[in-house]
Amino acid sequence: TLQSVEERKKLVSCFLWLLNPLTATVSSRGNAESLLAVLVLACLYSIMCKRLVVSAVLYGLAVHMKVFPIIYSLPLILLLDENYQDKKNNSTSLLKRLLNRSRMTFAIISALTFFLITFLLYLRYGMEFIEEAYLYHITRRDTRHNFSVYFYMLYLIQDSWLSFPIGIMAFLPQATLLLVIAVLLYRDVPFCFFVQTFTFVTFNKVCTSQYFLWYLCLLPLIMPYSRLGLLDAVVMGTCWFAGQVCILVWLL
């Protein structure tokens, strides 16, 4: 928690999100990233406060709004062990220890929340909703205004038969890194969420400006514990913004 952090560090960290020009620009053009940030942060807060049912509902809502929070499922499930429950599981069965009450409750409630809302919208909009909300992301290609590390490669082969298989293979390093990060960092949930999101955005085959908000909203939770100096932070932030501007100007 941030309770032990001095007030000044809390304010400065929050300003990184609230007064960030990127946050204001993206949020004012019709994107729902700020609403998604509220759901993710509320889920994180609830799970840390051990409000399991509330966090599960919020998680189901978050995954429904944007598919990417599904990457948090593994660290959340790993977190919900006997230490989270504050009671020793004396069962000798490995299966019963893995599928404990907290994990089953979280999984069932979050899944029911997701599928219920998805089903209701499917009844309203049909298969078009499923295609645009979920399936589209598997085959999506964006060769303009894309900050992805795969951008130029996918741009060169966009009309080739290799475009689809290479696009699918691009998920492999991303998925591998997310798995390793979840296993290593799940005990520190805010930091794990941030590193996972940063990795996901960095190695995604499509990356636009709004994607950066996915991890920027988590930055205030970890910055108070960072040993990064003010000058270093300003230089890194300036380079980060300058890099985006250069790429956008080059692609125009």
Side-chain angles (χ1 to χ4, degrees), residues 44-181:
L44 180 58
Y45 177 77
S46 298
I47 203 77
M48 294 179 71
C49 292
K50 300 191 176 182
R51 298 172 183 169
L52 194 60
V53 175
V54 175
S55 65
V57 172
L58 290 168
Y59 183 67
L61 285 170
V63 176
H64 167 75
M65 282 203 63
K66 293 277 187 179
V67 182
F68 95 87
I70 195 69
I71 66 176
Y72 305 141
S73 58
L74 181 56
L76 287 173
I77 291 299
L78 290 174
L79 180 70
L80 300 176
D81 57 10
E82 57 189 33
N83 294 320
Y84 181 85
Q85 295 176 299
D86 289 331
K87 59 182 179 180
K88 188 71 175 177
N89 189 338
N90 296 319
S91 174
T92 57
S93 170
L94 178 61
L95 183 61
K96 287 184 178 180
R97 297 187 69 172
L98 290 175
L99 303 179
N100 60 46
R101 183 174 180 179
S102 295
R103 286 171 174 164
M104 293 302 295
T105 300
F106 185 87
I108 291 172
I109 293 178
S110 59
L112 284 175
T113 302
F114 172 79
F115 285 115
L116 177 61
I117 299 175
T118 301
F119 178 69
L120 292 175
L121 291 175
Y122 171 75
L123 292 179
R124 176 64 179 84
Y125 298 104
M127 194 61 195
E128 181 182 3
F129 165 74
I130 303 296
E131 174 66 32
E132 296 294 332
Y134 306 117
L135 302 181
Y136 165 69
H137 297 283
I138 299 176
T139 57
R140 180 184 179 187
R141 291 183 298 174
D142 186 355
T143 56
R144 294 290 178 183
H145 306 100
N146 189 353
F147 301 104
S148 171
V149 293
Y150 301 112
F151 154 70
Y152 195 56
M153 177 183 68
L154 294 176
Y155 171 75
L156 293 176
I157 64 171
Q158 60 180 323
D159 296 321
S160 167
W161 65 271
L162 290 170
S163 178
F164 179 76
I166 289 181
I168 296 299
M169 289 175 62
F171 288 113
L172 293 179
Q174 186 184 51
T176 303
L177 287 170
L178 291 174
L179 176 63
V180 172
I181 291 167

Side-chain angles (χ1 to χ4, degrees), residues 33 36-37 40 59 62-63 65-73 137 178 193 196-197 200-201 211 213-215 217-218:
E33 311 310 317
L36 178 65
V40 170
Y59 183 67
V63 176
M65 282 203 63
K66 293 277 187 179
V67 182
F68 95 87
I70 195 69
I71 66 176
Y72 305 141
S73 58
H137 297 283
L178 291 174
F193 272 29
Q196 275 201 315
T197 311
F200 178 84
V201 172
Y211 286 39
L213 300 191
W214 298 352
Y215 60 77
C217 70
L218 296 166

